[in-house]
PDB file of all heavy atoms in Angstrom:
ATOM      1  N   SER A  62      17.444  -0.415  -9.991  1.00 95.00           N
ATOM      2  CA  SER A  62      17.688  -0.687 -11.405  1.00 95.00           C
ATOM      3  C   SER A  62      16.570  -1.433 -12.137  1.00 95.00           C
ATOM      4  O   SER A  62      16.339  -1.166 -13.314  1.00 95.00           O
ATOM      5  CB  SER A  62      19.032  -1.383 -11.602  1.00 95.00           C
ATOM      6  OG  SER A  62      20.057  -0.429 -11.394  1.00 95.00           O
ATOM      7  N   PRO A  63      15.838  -2.365 -11.493  1.00 97.00           N
ATOM      8  CA  PRO A  63      14.761  -3.029 -12.240  1.00 97.00           C
ATOM      9  C   PRO A  63      13.628  -2.079 -12.635  1.00 97.00           C
ATOM     10  O   PRO A  63      12.878  -2.366 -13.565  1.00 97.00           O
ATOM     11  CB  PRO A  63      14.239  -4.088 -11.271  1.00 97.00           C
ATOM     12  CG  PRO A  63      15.275  -4.226 -10.212  1.00 97.00           C
ATOM     13  CD  PRO A  63      15.998  -2.918 -10.138  1.00 97.00           C
ATOM     14  N   ALA A  64      13.477  -0.954 -11.945  1.00 97.00           N
ATOM     15  CA  ALA A  64      12.334  -0.053 -12.199  1.00 97.00           C
ATOM     16  C   ALA A  64      12.557   0.778 -13.455  1.00 97.00           C
ATOM     17  O   ALA A  64      13.683   0.925 -13.930  1.00 97.00           O
ATOM     18  CB  ALA A  64      12.126   0.852 -10.987  1.00 97.00           C
ATOM     19  N   GLN A  65      11.467   1.300 -14.000  1.00 97.00           N
ATOM     20  CA  GLN A  65      11.545   2.232 -15.138  1.00 97.00           C
ATOM     21  C   GLN A  65      11.743   3.618 -14.536  1.00 97.00           C
ATOM     22  O   GLN A  65      10.846   4.149 -13.895  1.00 97.00           O
ATOM     23  CB  GLN A  65      10.249   2.191 -15.958  1.00 97.00           C
ATOM     24  CG  GLN A  65       9.801   0.795 -16.357  1.00 97.00           C
ATOM     25  CD  GLN A  65      10.797   0.135 -17.281  1.00 97.00           C
ATOM     26  OE1 GLN A  65      11.197   0.728 -18.293  1.00 97.00           O
ATOM     27  NE2 GLN A  65      11.246  -1.066 -16.929  1.00 97.00           N
ATOM     28  N   ILE A  66      12.919   4.185 -14.751  1.00 97.00           N
ATOM     29  CA  ILE A  66      13.238   5.449 -14.087  1.00 97.00           C
ATOM     30  C   ILE A  66      12.989   6.627 -15.028  1.00 97.00           C
ATOM     31  O   ILE A  66      13.327   6.567 -16.211  1.00 97.00           O
ATOM     32  CB  ILE A  66      14.712   5.454 -13.619  1.00 97.00           C
ATOM     33  CG1 ILE A  66      14.992   4.243 -12.699  1.00 97.00           C
ATOM     34  CG2 ILE A  66      15.044   6.758 -12.887  1.00 97.00           C
ATOM     35  CD1 ILE A  66      14.180   4.193 -11.423  1.00 97.00           C
ATOM     36  N   GLY A  67      12.398   7.687 -14.481  1.00 96.00           N
ATOM     37  CA  GLY A  67      12.104   8.877 -15.279  1.00 96.00           C
ATOM     38  C   GLY A  67      10.628   8.940 -15.587  1.00 96.00           C
ATOM     39  O   GLY A  67       9.821   8.350 -14.885  1.00 96.00           O
ATOM     40  N   THR A  68      10.255   9.693 -16.606  1.00 95.00           N
ATOM     41  CA  THR A  68       8.849   9.731 -16.998  1.00 95.00           C
ATOM     42  C   THR A  68       8.762   9.230 -18.428  1.00 95.00           C
ATOM     43  O   THR A  68       9.741   9.268 -19.164  1.00 95.00           O
ATOM     44  CB  THR A  68       8.269  11.155 -16.925  1.00 95.00           C
ATOM     45  OG1 THR A  68       9.119  12.021 -17.669  1.00 95.00           O
ATOM     46  CG2 THR A  68       8.192  11.647 -15.492  1.00 95.00           C
ATOM     47  N   ASN A  69       7.574   8.738 -18.764  1.00 95.00           N
ATOM     48  CA  ASN A  69       7.389   8.159 -20.084  1.00 95.00           C
ATOM     49  C   ASN A  69       5.922   8.336 -20.454  1.00 95.00           C
ATOM     50  O   ASN A  69       5.054   7.813 -19.769  1.00 95.00           O
ATOM     51  CB  ASN A  69       7.771   6.665 -20.004  1.00 95.00           C
ATOM     52  CG  ASN A  69       7.564   5.954 -21.317  1.00 95.00           C
ATOM     53  OD1 ASN A  69       6.958   6.490 -22.246  1.00 95.00           O
ATOM     54  ND2 ASN A  69       8.069   4.735 -21.396  1.00 95.00           N
ATOM     55  N   PRO A  70       5.642   9.119 -21.504  1.00 94.00           N
ATOM     56  CA  PRO A  70       4.241   9.402 -21.833  1.00 94.00           C
ATOM     57  C   PRO A  70       3.430   8.143 -22.115  1.00 94.00           C
ATOM     58  O   PRO A  70       2.213   8.151 -21.949  1.00 94.00           O
ATOM     59  CB  PRO A  70       4.325  10.278 -23.094  1.00 94.00           C
ATOM     60  CG  PRO A  70       5.760  10.479 -23.402  1.00 94.00           C
ATOM     61  CD  PRO A  70       6.603   9.737 -22.413  1.00 94.00           C
ATOM     62  N   SER A  71       4.078   7.050 -22.506  1.00 96.00           N
ATOM     63  CA  SER A  71       3.294   5.851 -22.834  1.00 96.00           C
ATOM     64  C   SER A  71       3.306   4.828 -21.695  1.00 96.00           C
ATOM     65  O   SER A  71       2.780   3.737 -21.841  1.00 96.00           O
ATOM     66  CB  SER A  71       3.820   5.219 -24.124  1.00 96.00           C
ATOM     67  OG  SER A  71       5.161   4.853 -23.945  1.00 96.00           O
ATOM     68  N   ASN A  72       3.921   5.174 -20.567  1.00 97.00           N
ATOM     69  CA  ASN A  72       3.920   4.247 -19.426  1.00 97.00           C
ATOM     70  C   ASN A  72       3.826   5.048 -18.130  1.00 97.00           C
ATOM     71  O   ASN A  72       4.716   5.819 -17.802  1.00 97.00           O
ATOM     72  CB  ASN A  72       5.207   3.402 -19.449  1.00 97.00           C
ATOM     73  CG  ASN A  72       5.283   2.439 -18.275  1.00 97.00           C
ATOM     74  OD1 ASN A  72       4.284   2.217 -17.575  1.00 97.00           O
ATOM     75  ND2 ASN A  72       6.457   1.867 -18.053  1.00 97.00           N
ATOM     76  N   SER A  73       2.719   4.836 -17.396  1.00 97.00           N
ATOM     77  CA  SER A  73       2.541   5.590 -16.149  1.00 97.00           C
ATOM     78  C   SER A  73       3.328   4.989 -15.010  1.00 97.00           C
ATOM     79  O   SER A  73       3.588   5.650 -14.006  1.00 97.00           O
ATOM     80  CB  SER A  73       1.070   5.592 -15.740  1.00 97.00           C
ATOM     81  OG  SER A  73       0.283   5.973 -16.826  1.00 97.00           O
ATOM     82  N   LYS A  74       3.675   3.708 -15.141  1.00 98.00           N
ATOM     83  CA  LYS A  74       4.342   3.030 -14.020  1.00 98.00           C
ATOM     84  C   LYS A  74       5.844   3.277 -14.069  1.00 98.00           C
ATOM     85  O   LYS A  74       6.632   2.397 -14.428  1.00 98.00           O
ATOM     86  CB  LYS A  74       4.012   1.544 -14.034  1.00 98.00           C
ATOM     87  CG  LYS A  74       2.543   1.256 -13.734  1.00 98.00           C
ATOM     88  CD  LYS A  74       2.256  -0.216 -13.896  1.00 98.00           C
ATOM     89  CE  LYS A  74       0.786  -0.542 -13.654  1.00 98.00           C
ATOM     90  NZ  LYS A  74       0.462  -1.882 -14.147  1.00 98.00           N
ATOM     91  N   THR A  75       6.223   4.498 -13.712  1.00 98.00           N
ATOM     92  CA  THR A  75       7.641   4.868 -13.691  1.00 98.00           C
ATOM     93  C   THR A  75       7.970   5.506 -12.346  1.00 98.00           C
ATOM     94  O   THR A  75       7.078   5.964 -11.629  1.00 98.00           O
ATOM     95  CB  THR A  75       7.970   5.884 -14.802  1.00 98.00           C
ATOM     96  OG1 THR A  75       7.225   7.078 -14.561  1.00 98.00           O
ATOM     97  CG2 THR A  75       7.648   5.334 -16.190  1.00 98.00           C
ATOM     98  N   THR A  76       9.248   5.537 -12.028  1.00 98.00           N
ATOM     99  CA  THR A  76       9.706   6.113 -10.758  1.00 98.00           C
ATOM    100  C   THR A  76      10.684   7.247 -11.043  1.00 98.00           C
ATOM    101  O   THR A  76      11.597   7.087 -11.854  1.00 98.00           O
ATOM    102  CB  THR A  76      10.373   5.009  -9.901  1.00 98.00           C
ATOM    103  OG1 THR A  76       9.352   4.110  -9.469  1.00 98.00           O
ATOM    104  CG2 THR A  76      11.071   5.584  -8.681  1.00 98.00           C
ATOM    105  N   ARG A  77      10.446   8.387 -10.393  1.00 98.00           N
ATOM    106  CA  ARG A  77      11.417   9.486 -10.493  1.00 98.00           C
ATOM    107  C   ARG A  77      12.283   9.484  -9.237  1.00 98.00           C
ATOM    108  O   ARG A  77      11.794   9.198  -8.150  1.00 98.00           O
ATOM    109  CB  ARG A  77      10.694  10.828 -10.618  1.00 98.00           C
ATOM    110  CG  ARG A  77       9.945  10.989 -11.918  1.00 98.00           C
ATOM    111  CD  ARG A  77       9.538  12.434 -12.132  1.00 98.00           C
ATOM    112  NE  ARG A  77       8.744  12.962 -11.014  1.00 98.00           N
ATOM    113  CZ  ARG A  77       8.377  14.230 -10.909  1.00 98.00           C
ATOM    114  NH1 ARG A  77       8.736  15.125 -11.825  1.00 98.00           N
ATOM    115  NH2 ARG A  77       7.638  14.633  -9.875  1.00 98.00           N
TER     116      ARG A  77
END
Side-chain angles (χ1 to χ4, degrees):
S62 287
Q65 309 296 309
I66 304 299
T68 52
N69 178 349
S71 60
N72 179 13
S73 310
K74 293 174 182 165
T75 63
T76 290
R77 293 194 304 173

